[in-house]
Amino acid sequence: MTAKIVTFGISKGGCSKSTSSGITSYLLSQEEKVLAIDMDGQGNLTSFLTSEYDICNVFEERTILEAIINENARPYIIKIKENLDLIPANDFLATLPRRMYEKGLKLDALQKALEPVMDDYDWIIIDTPPALSEQTVMPLSTYSEAGSYAVVMFDGSMFAYYAIPKFLEIIEGAKERYNPALQTAGILFSLIDARAKENEVMEESIDEDYPGLKFNSIIRRKAATRRLAISGFEDNVELKKALEYYIPFVKELKERVQQKQPQR
């Protein structure tokens, strides 16, 4: 097997990138092998999947930063549960540009780090920061024979609406320079306020501006989903309620990425 790569991103904070990438990783791991990668120095995906919040000390020199610099991800993979592994991140990821410059690494450095483990997983799910940086561009630049995809997050706000074309430009830039097989899997609505009247207008605008890109699934914010960061996935009596809107999304995501990608 060769892993399909799915990168969650948008150049705006608070759009549920970490929550969505974490839940997607968990759900996919019910049937397939998944590697989740945290490319955001805030380490929210790391904390979400491990329940560790002192990430600088707990994961000192055991993160995606070291995996990239040493060009080998394998020593930095930690097991979360059966079929689900993680490469964590912490605040020191902020030093990545300097460390890459010192070693003469390019934007294909993440791909080189993942090559030793690419055939160990069915899926590689990557969380990115809300900014244009190496941590965002490198995941999008990572090629996989099985397919590389981007999920564009959208919280229904005007700020996120105007961030979508900017992020699509980043995707196109990565596709032109490093990863010609990269595709946009779709735009995922993760609504801050499911009751907001403007949501319907925003849906219509996305359909008009980006025909065929919007996922049919919509993530409506629920308290049970927010509490996953506290309660975790195991022995959680609210789990079914917390995952309610993500189950159809993951099914739809799998349907959208079934076609095998052309080799470079």
Side-chain angles (χ1 to χ4, degrees), residues 3 8 20 35 76 88 91-92 95 156 164 169 181 183 200 207 253:
F8 286 76
S20 296
L35 174 63
Y76 306 98
D91 298 56
F92 293 105
T95 67
I164 289 175
E169 287 181 13
Q183 295 187 41
E200 187 174 334
D207 280 332
L253 175 66

Side-chain angles (χ1 to χ4, degrees), residues 8-17 20 151-165 167 186-192 198-207 209-210 214-215 217-221:
F8 286 76
I10 188 70
S11 300
K12 179 190 175 298
C15 291
S16 291
K17 291 184 294 295
S20 296
V151 173
V152 184
M153 300 299 300
F154 179 56
D155 67 3
S157 70
M158 287 301 295
F159 296 115
Y161 177 76
Y162 286 113
I164 289 175
F167 193 70
I187 298 171
L188 176 62
F189 273 63
S190 180
L191 301 177
I192 291 176
E198 64 270 20
N199 288 339
E200 187 174 334
V201 175
M202 284 297 186
E203 285 189 56
E204 293 175 355
S205 297
I206 296 297
D207 280 332
D209 295 342
Y210 311 104
K214 182 174 71 67
F215 282 96
S217 308
I218 295 177
I219 309 301
R220 303 186 187 278
R221 300 291 177 94

